[in-house]
Amino acid sequence: MNPLLDQLQPYPFEKLKKLFAGVTPDPAYRPISLGIGEPKHPTPSFIQKALADNLAGLATYPATLGSEALRGAIADWLERRYGIARPDPATEVLPVNGSREALFSLTQTVVDPTRPGALVMCPNPFYQIYEGAAYLAGAQPYFVNSDPARNFAPDFSQVPEEVWSRVQLLFVCSPGNPTGAVLSLEDWKELFALSDRYGFVIASDECYSEIYFKKEAPLGGMEAAHKLGRTGYPRLISFSSLSKRSNVPGMRSGFVAGDAAILKKFLLYRTYHGGAMSPSIQAASVAAWQDETHVQDNIAKYVAKFSQVTPLLQEVLDVALPDASFYLWAHVGKLAGIGDEEFARRLYAEYNVTVLPGSYLAREAHGINPGAGRIRMALVAEVDECLEAAQRIVAFARKLAAGK
């Protein structure tokens, strides 16, 4: 067996299952889960129809490159969404089976494990695929802690030059999971300068880009490159997905776009890896990328939900409206002196609400675990269910504050 597999840590939800082992929630409450970031809004009917109308595609093998129609629809969307020149669908766009598998497999394409001390840099807290992809590519992850003073964006200025010289791939997640932080144009300027100096690839995970709470949509990596006058997107690959944008997590449909030279090598890897998307899914994806009305409807639902839930939770928790994404990242460490694990376990036992301990989403780095004392709440259900969960959390927090 590959010995690198032994470096993989249990997934956060495996840890949560172990934490809840032996606990029987109070049966007076129906279960509500804010633990998993799985969209729960209904899939738009026109996407379902596009899928049903193209089931004949199941009878043919798909091309790894994807159809011209899908690559064209994605290129059109990138042009509309970010105000950039339309990417070349033949060389700068590649459909993938959701951003998760692409984040993992791009790492295997980019990292050269024969170079001594290979590093993959990640934000901390982070999406665990980044870490696992680094290990299985023969590299080590290097974590940059989120900074509450920077709205939870990582502070890359604290990274030593000796570390930068070993970095081959940098993962950024903007909007971030779990913090919702969005990188600024100045952040991107700094990262591009570092990439130019040290030669590493930037993998920009943007799967939450279409859920936001400000007037301006979140800045994307390719958009930042365009604003800064960078042509050809050197050493930049952006990832996006329909899962959150269009409420179709089961379709496993997304794309990567950016540096054509990297995508050429990535296509070669995927040809062997077997990463082709079903023609039926491709047809439904074309319909989804071409429509914005359902996206605006989806955003409106999240805005309405967060505008009601956030103030309620702010009465008892240290929590703020994020820039974007569908998570609330709350500090509970000062509440009756309990940690994030105990908070989650007791909340589940006493009120049948599931949240994810923040320490499960981070690693101890530079002397701290930046997720410790925090919880992540995924507000993915309809507003009534999220409000009920928030009301139970408020009752629980007040109980703790009273020393009970």
Side-chain angles (χ1 to χ4, degrees):
M1 298 297 290
N2 186 342
L4 296 175
L5 288 166
D6 294 334
Q7 299 185 66
L8 300 182
Q9 295 201 29
Y11 218 59
F13 305 109
E14 294 178 46
K15 294 181 180 180
L16 191 66
K17 184 177 180 181
K18 185 176 180 180
L19 179 68
F20 289 171
V23 176
T24 301
D26 187 337
Y29 298 98
R30 68 183 182 93
I32 298 179
S33 177
L34 306 181
I36 299 179
E38 180 181 48
K40 296 296 185 184
H41 295 169
T43 299
S45 58
F46 78 92
I47 298 177
Q48 297 183 42
K49 184 176 187 302
L51 179 61
D53 288 347
N54 287 277
L55 292 180
L58 297 176
T60 60
Y61 281 119
T64 306
L65 183 60
S67 68
E68 290 184 16
L70 178 55
R71 285 182 279 113
I74 293 168
D76 290 343
W77 181 80
L78 285 164
E79 180 182 28
R80 287 195 314 272
R81 169 64 172 81
Y82 294 114
I84 61 177
R86 185 176 188 262
D88 184 345
T91 61
E92 294 181 317
V93 174
L94 183 62
V96 297
N97 293 312
S99 56
R100 175 174 177 164
E101 68 91 358
L103 290 162
F104 182 87
S105 55
L106 181 82
T107 310
Q108 318 309 306
T109 304
V110 167
V111 170
D112 178 0
T114 67
R115 284 172 49 188
L119 294 177
V120 171
M121 188 173 287
C122 312
N124 193 30
F126 62 99
Y127 182 39
Q128 195 156 327
I129 295 301
Y130 308 157
E131 178 188 61
Y135 283 137
L136 287 172
Q140 292 292 313
Y142 182 92
F143 298 108
V144 182
N145 293 341
S146 67
D147 184 357
R150 289 167 45 83
N151 195 26
F152 299 106
D155 187 357
F156 294 105
S157 69
Q158 301 301 308
V159 178
E161 183 175 359
E162 183 276 331
V163 170
W164 283 120
S165 66
R166 295 161 53 202
V167 172
Q168 297 187 30
L169 179 65
L170 166 64
F171 282 111
V172 295
C173 187
S174 178
N177 172 10
T179 67
V182 174
L183 295 183
S184 68
L185 189 61
E186 279 302 308
D187 292 329
W188 279 109
K189 185 177 180 180
E190 176 189 9
L191 292 179
F192 289 145
L194 288 164
S195 174
D196 289 344
R197 188 181 313 158
Y198 296 105
F200 58 79
V201 174
I202 300 174
S204 181
D205 183 354
E206 302 171 9
C207 69
Y208 298 96
S209 68
E210 304 313 287
I211 300 172
Y212 53 91
F213 306 102
K214 297 182 178 180
K215 184 177 180 181
E216 304 81 15
L219 179 70
M222 295 174 74
E223 180 184 15
H226 172 75
K227 288 178 179 290
L228 294 169
R230 297 172 67 84
T231 57
Y233 309 108
R235 296 175 305 283
L236 173 65
I237 300 295
S238 291
F239 299 71
S240 193
S241 167
L242 288 173
S243 295
K244 284 82 174 175
R245 174 189 182 271
S246 300
N247 297 301
V248 288
M251 277 189 16
R252 311 311 304 135
S253 178
F255 70 82
V256 294
D259 188 318
I262 295 174
L263 289 184
K264 183 177 180 179
K265 292 291 188 180
F266 190 36
L267 175 61
L268 173 63
Y269 176 92
R270 295 177 64 76
T271 301
Y272 282 82
H273 181 66
M277 184 188 297
S278 160
S280 304
I281 298 296
Q282 290 191 54
S285 301
V286 170
W289 288 117
Q290 289 177 338
D291 182 80
E292 291 299 323
T293 300
H294 78 286
V295 180
Q296 294 306 311
D297 292 343
N298 196 45
I299 293 172
K301 280 189 172 186
Y302 280 109
V303 169
K305 192 185 316 184
F306 274 73
S307 67
Q308 296 177 68
V309 171
T310 308
L312 191 61
L313 292 174
Q314 284 175 329
E315 296 177 10
V316 294
L317 299 179
D318 179 4
V319 63
L321 184 72
D323 292 336
S325 85
F326 49 46
Y327 300 115
L328 285 176
W329 184 235
H331 193 273
V332 300
K334 296 180 181 178
L335 194 63
I338 70 172
D340 53 308
E341 283 189 306
E342 186 179 352
F343 184 97
R345 193 172 193 273
R346 285 191 56 185
L347 176 64
Y348 175 67
E350 297 173 31
Y351 289 89
N352 212 351
V353 174
T354 300
V355 297
L356 195 62
S359 58
Y360 292 2
L361 296 164
R363 297 286 181 261
E364 184 166 334
H366 320 296
I368 64 167
N369 181 320
R374 295 187 176 274
I375 58 168
R376 190 190 77 176
M377 295 170 279
L379 303 189
V380 290
E382 296 290 353
V383 62
D384 290 346
E385 185 169 320
C386 289
L387 274 172
E388 182 179 345
Q391 289 161 356
R392 295 188 205 174
I393 293 170
V394 168
F396 176 59
R398 285 182 172 151
K399 182 178 176 180
L400 290 176
K404 298 180 181 179

